[in-house]
Amino acid sequence: MIDGFLALYIFMLAAFTGKEIIGRVPVILHTPLMSGSNFVHGIVLVGAMIALAHAESTLAITIGFIGVILGAGNAAGGYVVTERMLEMFKSSKDKK
Amino acid sequence: MATEEMLNWIANASYFLAAVLFILGIKRMASPVTARKGIVQAGIGMVIATLATFAITKGHNIELIVLGIAIGVIPTWLWGKKVAMTDMPQMVALFNGMGGGSAAAIGAGELLKFSHPGSAPPMTTIGLAVLGALIGSVSMTGSIIAWAKLDGRMDKRFNFPGQQIFNFLILAGAIVAGIALIAWQVDSRLIIAFFALALLFGILMTLPIGGADMPVVISLFNALTGLAVAFEGYVMNIPALIIAGTVVGAAGTFLTQLMAKAMNRPISGVLFSNFGGGGSGEAITGAQKPIEASDAASLLYMAEKVIIVPGYGMAVAQAQHKIWELTQALIKAGKEVKFAIHPVAGRMPGHMNVLLAEAGVPYDLIADMDDINPEFKTCDVSIVIGANDVVNPAAKTDKSSPIYGMPILNVVDSRQTIVIKRGKGTGFAGIENALFYADNTRLLYADGKEAANQLISELKMIEGGGGH
């Protein structure tokens, strides 16, 4: 189990990381970046998978199953949409 | 036992690797040169983390897990592949809602587990499970409403007297139920009441928000889902969720601020007030001066430097491909052509860039507002197509105008302006635009696609007759 303060440190460092890495994003990438970070929180799928694996009662299994479906949808949809948007960002040098 | 330890180690190492790939991926996505590599990297991280999870679930409910993933992945993948670029913002909202729902489901499952007698964990754990579930639920239903609004499936705005107080009471109710779960006992009826209130609040808080403010709201929900994932990651003891969720939560919050700033709308104003109800601004005297496509084409032919200012109207008319064709014709004729993008052109910041990119416009021809604004003075002809409020000089000069203070593109500085417009209507904010009445502005009344077509053929005629 992660100790409370250790978790707090992780949380603090990750929060600064999140702000720093996108610190200088140009406006043209706001929408794709939002979509990309939307994809990244699709990692919730992993949590839902583990929850479903540990579920025993019918209710818990149902909830876990819904969680897995929604998490997988977040990850898959988020990826496709972001990839499609970014695929279009080519400079004039890349072409022909 | 040794195998189990090994499997756990493999899973933990994979989660660590995934966290690194996510952070690198998001960082790369923040620059146009590396953005495409960024999403692929983050994608690899996701696949690694998902596969590694099978190593530690020991095959429990494995059929259901695989089935659930298939049900979640296949339709969203196919849908995401074929949806039109103009509809991207609402897709992001929808997928974000799914993530919030997943986090809420994890929270619900964990709380259910804690409700069995004698299995209550430390208060921090219940607290974060409740908090994650609250945020995830609000993000889910809120995102669904945002999707429905942007997709045109729902009336733009929904107001009733005392709405804010009512919403506040619902939120307060959810919080009280949450606190009772933490401090009193994890009771199943209380869990149901808590979720019902949280889900309801998500709907209620999004209903009164107008379509123009939706991007900021979606970005906010995106950040919230990240936080919900981080909290549930703590409850489930998976550091990868804590890190990825927090990074998204922080990046998303920052991005929301950037967007709100670009739109000149404070976040509190987006959430708690309504837009477009303000004053009407000063009346404008003078007349709009029309121009024929042939004359507009000769203006372009004589120009050396042309700046094109596209707005959402261009995207609605599906004119971006024709505009790019026109641009290519102008470049071929030796003109310097640039696209000027207002931060909120399109439906959310950066959306216009995506739409232009789809039409094949290279991103180095596209300039941000701050970079291009000084260049309008040296520009011979500006073409405004489907943009209105973002080029209205009243935002700078008229204190009584509802858009006063919003940063605008200084199209009014250019020597000549051609405005392509269907009719004489006003923009989204419902305000007259002084630019359209300026002495050096000419209006080309036509559908965007049609106008671009005419300009291309007129330009060809001039070039053919000009005898090079």
Side-chain angles (χ1 to χ4, degrees):
Chain A
M1 195 72 197
I2 306 163
D3 169 63
F5 271 103
L6 185 59
L8 204 58
Y9 278 113
I10 296 179
F11 194 74
M12 183 264 297
L13 291 172
F16 278 108
T17 308
K19 185 174 182 298
E20 285 307 313
I21 54 176
I22 65 149
R24 300 187 46 191
V25 57
V27 174
I28 68 164
L29 282 172
H30 280 184
T31 297
L33 183 64
M34 176 162 95
S35 178
S37 58
N38 176 43
F39 161 69
V40 167
H41 65 52
I43 186 71
V44 70
L45 170 63
V46 166
M49 285 168 74
I50 294 175
L52 178 53
H54 290 168
E56 271 152 21
S57 70
T58 318
L59 181 59
I61 289 178
T62 312
I63 295 174
F65 187 58
I66 294 172
V68 169
I69 293 176
L70 292 176
N74 180 186
Y79 184 84
V80 175
V81 166
T82 311
E83 209 248 344
R84 275 187 62 198
M85 280 193 232
L86 290 175
E87 203 181 311
M88 293 158 183
F89 282 88
K90 296 175 179 141
S91 83
S92 47
K93 287 166 218 132
D94 292 354
K95 293 192 176 165
K96 284 169 232 162
Chain B
M1 196 60 195
T3 8
E4 199 183 320
E5 266 173 36
M6 183 117 111
L7 286 176
N8 276 338
W9 188 89
I10 292 174
N12 283 327
S14 310
Y15 291 157
F16 179 78
L17 187 62
V20 173
L21 286 170
F22 287 154
I23 293 174
L24 280 177
I26 295 182
K27 184 170 170 54
R28 296 222 154 119
M29 277 188 261
S31 155
V33 187
T34 54
R36 287 155 77 204
K37 282 190 202 120
I39 182 65
V40 174
Q41 252 175 351
I44 294 171
M46 190 69 74
V47 172
I48 291 174
T50 309
L51 291 179
T53 306
F54 282 108
I56 53 169
T57 52
K58 301 187 203 118
H60 293 311
N61 291 332
I62 189 157
E63 303 87 0
L64 280 176
I65 294 179
V66 173
L67 182 67
I69 293 178
I71 297 176
V73 168
I74 296 169
T76 46
W77 187 277
L78 295 177
W79 196 10
K81 274 275 177 212
K82 67 171 207 260
V83 72
M85 274 295 151
T86 37
D87 293 343
M88 284 295 169
Q90 51 264 46
M91 295 311 281
V92 175
L94 195 61
F95 298 142
N96 177 55
M98 288 181 159
S102 186
I106 294 176
E110 292 299 301
L111 287 172
L112 196 69
K113 214 158 65 182
F114 302 156
S115 70
H116 296 308
S119 56
M123 219 182 243
T124 331
T125 312
I126 308 181
L128 287 178
V130 165
L131 199 55
L134 174 68
I135 299 173
S137 303
V138 170
S139 176
M140 174 168 82
T141 49
S143 297
I144 291 171
I145 300 293
W147 165 77
K149 285 197 173 201
L150 283 179
D151 214 42
R153 284 164 198 267
M154 197 177 223
D155 203 13
K156 291 290 175 209
R157 218 176 275 157
F158 177 80
N159 290 303
F160 57 85
Q163 190 167 25
Q164 286 190 13
I165 294 165
F166 184 72
N167 290 0
F168 174 76
L169 287 176
I170 299 290
L171 176 64
I175 291 172
V176 168
I179 292 173
L181 283 172
I182 301 164
W184 179 55
Q185 71 173 90
V186 186
D187 174 83
S188 53
R189 273 162 306 174
L190 204 50
I191 297 177
I192 295 171
F194 165 74
F195 276 101
L197 288 167
L199 292 168
L200 184 62
F201 178 71
I203 298 174
L204 289 172
M205 77 166 277
T206 321
L207 276 177
I209 300 171
D213 285 333
M214 240 0 124
V216 180
V217 176
I218 295 173
S219 179
L220 186 68
F221 284 143
N222 183 41
L224 286 178
T225 303
L227 277 184
V229 171
F231 294 154
E232 299 305 341
Y234 177 86
V235 178
M236 306 261 328
N237 197 22
I238 317 170
L241 259 67
I242 305 180
I243 292 169
T246 310
V247 167
V248 172
T253 308
F254 184 55
L255 195 57
T256 309
Q257 284 172 343
L258 287 179
M259 284 188 183
K261 212 170 106 192
M263 297 171 78
N264 194 35
R265 295 275 290 145
I267 294 169
S268 61
V270 170
L271 294 179
F272 303 116
S273 74
N274 302 317
F275 183 47
S280 53
E282 284 166 13
I284 297 164
T285 51
Q288 299 187 358
K289 293 163 275 293
I291 189 170
E292 292 298 319
S294 51
D295 294 327
S298 12
L299 279 179
L300 288 174
Y301 182 70
M302 314 232 262
E304 273 176 24
K305 184 169 176 178
V306 178
I307 298 179
I308 300 175
V309 182
Y312 191 66
M314 178 196 74
V316 173
Q318 289 292 321
Q320 56 268 44
H321 293 90
K322 282 288 158 198
I323 289 290
W324 172 228
E325 234 178 83
L326 173 66
T327 310
Q328 283 170 307
L330 289 170
I331 292 174
K332 220 172 124 204
K335 326 271 178 227
E336 185 190 349
V337 187
K338 278 187 184 168
F339 285 85
I341 310 284
H342 189 272
V344 297
R347 280 204 161 161
M348 55 172 71
H351 191 202
M352 186 53 65
N353 306 76
V354 173
L355 295 173
L356 287 177
E358 187 196 14
V361 180
Y363 69 76
D364 38 7
L365 291 189
I366 301 175
D368 282 356
M369 180 175 69
D370 293 336
D371 296 329
I372 198 86
N373 258 347
E375 291 193 33
F376 280 107
K377 281 191 200 90
T378 58
C379 157
D380 300 301
V381 180
S382 293
I383 305 175
V384 177
I385 170 160
N388 191 335
D389 296 329
V390 298
V391 296
N392 191 342
K396 283 188 157 173
T397 53
D398 178 6
K399 283 199 174 125
S400 68
S401 173
I403 59 165
Y404 181 73
M406 181 173 88
I408 56 154
L409 288 162
N410 295 335
V411 176
V412 76
D413 290 347
S414 46
R415 289 181 194 130
Q416 280 281 347
T417 306
I418 300 169
V419 176
I420 299 173
K421 217 167 166 300
R422 295 263 286 274
K424 295 190 180 181
T426 54
F428 184 86
I431 321 156
E432 284 289 354
N433 191 336
L435 174 72
F436 298 169
Y437 296 88
D439 286 338
N440 51 0
T441 298
R442 295 290 178 274
L443 283 104
L444 180 56
Y445 293 113
D447 169 73
K449 212 170 178 173
E450 191 49 46
N453 244 342
Q454 286 172 0
L455 287 175
I456 295 168
S457 55
E458 292 291 347
L459 213 55
K460 272 191 194 135
M461 296 241 293
I462 298 172
E463 278 178 341
H468 276 276

